[in-house]
Amino acid sequence: MSIYHRSDILVIGSGAAGLSCALRLSEKFSINILCKSQLQEGSTYYAQGGIAAVLDNKDSVDSHVQDTLVAGAGLCHQSAVRFTVENSKDAIEWLIEQGVAFSRDEQDESQEYHLTKEGGHSHRRIIHSKDATGKAVQNTLSSVIKSKKNIQLFENYNAVDLITAHKLGLIGIENRCIGAYALNREKDQVELFQAKYVVLATGGASKVYLYTSNPDISSGDGIAMAWRSGCRIANMEFNQFHPTCLFHSKAHSFLITEALRGEGAYLKLPNGERFMPRFDDRGELAPRDIVARAIDHEIKRLGIDCVYLDISHKDPEFIKSHFPTIYQRLKKLEIDITKDPIPVVPAAHYTCGGVVVDLQAKTDIPHLFAIGEVAFTGLHGANRMASNSLLECLVFAKAAAETIIKNDAQINDIDVDIPLWDESQVSNSDEEVVVSHNWHELRHLMWNYVGIVRTTKRLERAKRRIQLLKQEVREYYSNFKVNSNLLELRNLLTVAELIIECAMRRKESRGLHYTLDYPEQKTKIKDTIVSKFD
């Protein structure tokens, strides 16, 4: 295989955002898609709950907008929220056209599709495919992608860094993004991907924490690469911890969808007592930040390992038909959710901040777009409302595609020879333990010092240690051949530093950022935006 690849569009990431953007561009452009693992692997595939959209006549755009603004604790950009919600019905109709099989409503004849309700929503507006919506979306889009002749997939490729005009020393021209270097893991070589446009769709960075519901590939690669290239990054202090991740020695990162609580499941202590009503009048359907903090509080107060999510009071057939994936998975672990409560703990789940973009998904660097969890659009504010994430992927993927199509006729390509990756001055590592040890230490210190509840002292301690780890990894990166673990660790350290910097700048508690030193909210509300040029 060649170590040089050229296309009109380079999409880095193969989840709902990346694939839907590629499909919308596929009739006019040649496209290369970098998949960090296999095509189906990623956060989209594991998304259980569904996609929020205004599909019921009893619902309204204004209601969905207002619910999102409330959940976002005052930091949502109203223009981004309204733009996203107004385009929600179109996004769902497009998915249905692609072949996504959403669950039908067999009881309400006025509704074609079954809609469920989740935390923060005032209406039933979550369209879903049983309890495996992400899987249905990912499999459908993947199938359609494979049928497109002008789309080429590159599986098991780790993006290394973006290539911009200024990085190449082309100072006299616009600093546009013109490609990326990526590690072919199967051949253990770095290859060059040149393109007229680059779309970052790399997902979030929850792997920076010890406990996460995300797959292993969620290591903040796009955020780190965009930062190194000069893009602004915003609101990284807002890391959403999903309240209910399965707590079991034989299960790894298995999320228990919020839809269970939407259908009446209760959170309970080991003695069977419900506790959420003590924290919020909305009980189990309070926004995720409130539920996660309540669980964290009870676990620490009582010195217990977990709390329990109980839906056993519902009809067994209803449970099996609505949540077949969870029922079958837990049955293998000897937990029958029609009879038994589910042991759960909070886990890092979603990165609300990211690369600053506008409503066209454009970043600070021309020809570089960011869509999905990697981006900061202003939609989520200080706390993402349930099931708005896949919606954001779809809406901003369309926005990016439309912008590229509209502007391409006026854009001239840069005719420049980009150097191939040079490994002549490095050697193979004989100290891989350095990477594994630092990876382990990073995730522990982020969980302990930059987790659900923070203090200034904890943040300062984490910052000092991260700086030392970054120095070690910088030296390692300079002297040895790159590999997947090193690239991910390098990116996670960058992301961790950005999270800590943003958290230290926010002298208040708001949404997902809660600090014991500043427990109140400020009256002046603003985003935390960091720049390499500050």
Side-chain angles (χ1 to χ4, degrees):
M1 183 180 289
S2 170
I3 61 172
Y4 173 75
H5 313 273
R6 187 162 187 161
S7 60
D8 296 321
I9 314 288
L10 173 63
V11 177
I12 307 177
S14 55
L19 295 188
S20 55
C21 185
L23 282 174
R24 290 183 181 275
L25 291 165
S26 61
E27 298 304 316
K28 295 181 179 294
F29 301 97
S30 60
I31 303 168
N32 287 333
I33 301 177
L34 298 184
C35 315
K36 191 173 179 182
S37 182
Q38 299 300 306
L39 180 58
Q40 269 79 6
E41 181 69 12
S43 292
T44 294
Y45 184 85
Y46 295 102
Q48 296 174 357
I51 306 171
V54 179
L55 302 170
D56 186 352
N57 291 333
K58 299 174 185 177
D59 197 4
S60 69
V61 167
D62 286 342
S63 177
H64 190 171
V65 167
Q66 186 58 32
D67 289 346
T68 301
L69 294 175
V70 170
L75 265 183
C76 296
H77 295 191
Q78 189 158 350
S79 59
V81 176
R82 186 162 292 278
F83 173 75
T84 306
V85 174
E86 285 179 345
N87 284 279
S88 62
K89 185 175 183 180
D90 174 80
I92 298 303
E93 290 174 345
W94 183 82
L95 283 180
I96 293 171
E97 289 173 6
Q98 305 312 306
V100 176
F102 291 110
S103 296
R104 302 280 179 168
D105 196 325
E106 299 174 358
Q107 297 181 337
D108 187 350
E109 294 183 356
S110 67
Q111 291 291 336
E112 185 176 2
Y113 294 99
H114 182 265
L115 303 176
T116 190
K117 187 177 180 182
E118 295 181 351
H121 292 276
S122 57
H123 289 80
R124 283 183 172 266
R125 63 168 68 100
I126 315 302
I127 190 169
H128 60 100
S129 181
K130 296 187 182 296
D131 61 346
T133 306
K135 182 177 181 180
V137 170
Q138 183 73 34
N139 286 345
T140 300
L141 296 183
S142 296
S143 178
V144 179
I145 281 283
K146 290 177 180 178
S147 71
K148 300 295 182 179
K149 294 181 180 179
N150 57 342
I151 295 179
Q152 188 168 357
L153 296 168
F154 294 82
E155 294 181 301
N156 296 307
Y157 274 73
N158 280 61
V160 177
D161 256 325
L162 300 173
I163 303 169
T164 65
H166 285 187
K167 281 186 179 180
L168 295 178
L170 306 176
I171 305 302
I173 66 172
E174 177 185 59
N175 184 33
R176 66 174 68 169
C177 187
I178 51 179
Y181 293 109
L183 172 67
N184 178 341
R185 296 213 308 268
E186 293 179 358
K187 291 198 170 185
D188 192 28
Q189 67 182 19
V190 176
E191 300 175 8
L192 167 60
F193 289 81
Q194 186 171 351
K196 199 172 179 181
Y197 304 93
V198 177
V199 180
L200 286 175
T202 52
S206 289
K207 205 65 184 177
V208 76
Y209 286 100
L210 182 61
Y211 301 112
T212 175
S213 64
N214 285 195
D216 288 341
I217 62 175
S218 299
S219 52
D221 303 331
I223 296 171
M225 289 191 299
W227 169 256
R228 288 194 293 267
S229 297
C231 290
R232 290 173 300 154
I233 307 295
N235 286 13
M236 290 298 292
E237 70 270 37
F238 298 117
N239 310 101
Q240 187 172 77
F241 290 82
H242 196 288
T244 55
C245 197
L246 178 65
F247 181 77
H248 196 284
S249 60
K250 295 181 181 179
H252 174 66
S253 304
F254 187 66
L255 185 71
I256 305 299
T257 175
E258 190 159 332
L260 263 82
R261 283 176 282 140
E263 295 298 340
Y266 296 131
L267 281 165
K268 297 180 178 180
L269 298 175
N271 64 4
E273 174 195 347
R274 284 182 67 197
F275 59 89
M276 275 310 303
R278 289 193 274 111
F279 292 89
D280 194 283
D281 291 340
R282 291 165 288 188
E284 282 77 5
L285 289 180
R288 288 178 175 176
D289 59 324
I290 295 172
V291 179
R293 277 201 303 275
I295 295 173
D296 183 69
H297 178 273
E298 292 300 292
I299 286 175
K300 290 175 178 174
R301 180 178 72 88
L302 297 172
I304 54 181
D305 291 326
C306 63
V307 296
Y308 294 87
L309 186 65
D310 191 357
I311 198 171
S312 62
H313 52 281
K314 291 286 185 176
D315 177 68
E317 293 308 313
F318 171 85
I319 295 172
K320 292 177 185 178
S321 63
H322 279 70
F323 306 106
T325 304
I326 294 174
Y327 174 78
Q328 292 165 11
R329 176 70 185 274
L330 268 61
K331 196 71 182 290
K332 292 178 181 177
L333 297 173
E334 299 183 350
I335 300 172
D336 183 348
I337 65 172
T338 66
K339 302 175 182 178
D340 307 319
I342 307 165
V344 294
V345 292
H349 181 60
Y350 193 86
T351 306
C352 287
V355 183
V356 175
V357 298
D358 62 14
L359 294 184
Q360 296 175 313
K362 293 190 293 187
T363 70
D364 294 330
I365 298 176
H367 294 226
L368 177 65
F369 295 78
I371 53 177
E373 193 175 351
V374 68
F376 168 75
T377 64
L379 171 64
H380 304 305
N383 181 29
R384 177 179 71 88
M385 189 166 69
S387 290
N388 270 350
S389 54
L390 283 176
L391 176 61
E392 181 185 43
C393 289
L394 299 165
V395 169
F396 280 87
K398 180 186 177 185
E402 289 180 342
T403 301
I404 291 171
I405 292 169
K406 179 181 178 181
N407 297 335
D408 185 65
Q410 291 81 41
I411 300 298
N412 294 319
D413 205 350
I414 294 180
D415 186 15
V416 59
D417 291 327
I418 302 176
L420 298 177
W421 187 259
D422 183 7
E423 291 187 331
S424 62
Q425 303 300 313
V426 297
S427 61
N428 288 313
S429 169
D430 58 356
E431 292 290 340
E432 190 67 23
V433 68
V434 173
V435 174
S436 61
H437 178 272
N438 287 357
W439 176 288
H440 187 69
E441 181 176 349
L442 167 66
R443 298 179 68 207
H444 270 86
L445 72 87
M446 286 297 290
W447 183 263
N448 291 329
Y449 298 149
V450 200
I452 295 173
V453 178
R454 301 160 178 174
T455 67
T456 301
K457 188 174 182 180
R458 291 175 190 171
L459 293 174
E460 289 173 345
R461 184 174 294 146
K463 182 177 181 178
R464 287 194 298 270
R465 187 58 195 145
I466 295 262
Q467 288 171 342
L468 292 174
L469 291 175
K470 280 192 71 177
Q471 180 59 34
E472 289 183 14
V473 169
R474 190 179 299 114
E475 293 174 1
Y476 196 96
Y477 183 82
S478 300
N479 293 306
F480 300 110
K481 290 184 66 174
V482 297
N483 59 42
S484 178
N485 288 337
L486 174 60
L487 292 174
E488 290 184 337
L489 176 59
R490 178 182 181 232
N491 290 333
L492 283 174
L493 284 166
T494 297
V495 167
E497 194 168 50
L498 290 167
I499 292 171
I500 293 167
E501 177 63 27
C502 289
M504 292 181 74
R505 291 191 187 190
R506 186 163 294 281
K507 309 295 186 184
E508 64 166 349
S509 290
R510 183 180 298 276
L512 300 166
H513 173 71
Y514 186 81
T515 170
L516 296 175
D517 293 316
Y518 303 97
E520 305 299 325
Q521 287 190 358
K522 284 186 174 182
T523 54
K524 187 176 180 180
I525 303 171
K526 64 178 183 178
D527 295 317
T528 309
I529 300 177
V530 293
S531 169
K532 290 186 72 173
F533 309 109
D534 287 347

